[in-house]
Amino acid sequence: MTTYTTIDSPLGELLAARDAEGISALYLPHGKKPARPHADWVREDTAFDDLRSQLGEYFAGERTNFELPLHLIGSAFQRRVWTGLLGIPCGKTTSYGALATAIGAPGAARAVGLANGQNPISIVVPCHRVIGADGSLTGYGGGLPAKQWLLTHEAQQPQLFAV
């Protein structure tokens, strides 16, 4: 069974879903296709206290890494890309080409970009940290203003990112 809730955030109301394995979706309110709960999802607000708490800490500038069970639902290649995204430190960015190389698929920058765009767990699986090779902001499922907001937010917490 998949449960869902909505979570208020500085970016608007987020739609979250989880199943027995973990968080399976976290959608931003704006972008290419506004997310709606699937017909077979069941609303269960209390099942998301961990996500709600950790997102609150992230938006308050108190958290840089999420410690949540995730259920990455996609092809083997998509899951490889999404797992690679989890390795991009908060406050840092990488390019599609560099991410392709990092996951062992050099030359697959376009495929990485497509998989990145299909990431169903925004913010927690930080697809917003992938930018163009020239440093430009490129497409983002939640809209470029949200991507810019997230990158700016992370850059404003330098004391949290010191190694």
Side-chain angles (χ1 to χ4, degrees):
M1 174 175 70
T2 299
T3 59
Y4 80 95
T5 193
T6 57
I7 299 172
D8 290 329
S9 83
L11 297 169
E13 189 175 76
L14 307 175
L15 174 64
R18 82 177 328 142
D19 58 22
E21 290 187 46
I23 304 296
S24 57
L26 182 61
Y27 298 115
L28 294 162
H30 308 290
K32 295 182 227 175
K33 35 187 176 172
R36 297 186 191 347
H38 295 200
D40 59 341
W41 290 3
V42 176
R43 184 158 189 141
E44 182 58 56
D45 296 326
T46 59
F48 294 86
D49 291 345
D50 56 348
L51 177 61
R52 190 173 277 108
S53 173
Q54 290 187 35
L55 282 170
E57 292 167 359
Y58 169 81
F59 288 123
E62 300 165 354
R63 173 177 288 278
T64 59
N65 294 306
F66 293 92
E67 298 168 7
L68 298 161
L70 302 178
H71 186 191
L72 300 171
I73 302 170
S75 72
F77 182 77
Q78 287 174 322
R79 290 191 312 272
R80 217 164 96 207
V81 171
W82 301 336
T83 299
L85 293 171
L86 293 169
I88 305 169
C90 192
K92 304 287 184 188
T93 58
T94 193
S95 69
Y96 296 97
L99 181 57
T101 299
I103 66 165
R110 280 190 127 97
V112 164
L114 288 172
N116 194 58
Q118 296 297 314
N119 172 26
I121 309 175
S122 64
I123 304 170
V124 174
V125 178
C127 53
H128 62 277
R129 296 181 189 151
V130 184
I131 60 175
D134 63 358
S136 65
L137 294 187
T138 55
Y140 185 60
L144 287 180
K147 183 173 188 165
Q148 181 63 64
W149 191 96
L150 290 164
L151 292 173
T152 300
H153 170 69
E154 291 180 358
Q156 292 174 345
Q157 316 303 329
Q159 72 281 3
L160 292 178
F161 311 129
V163 178

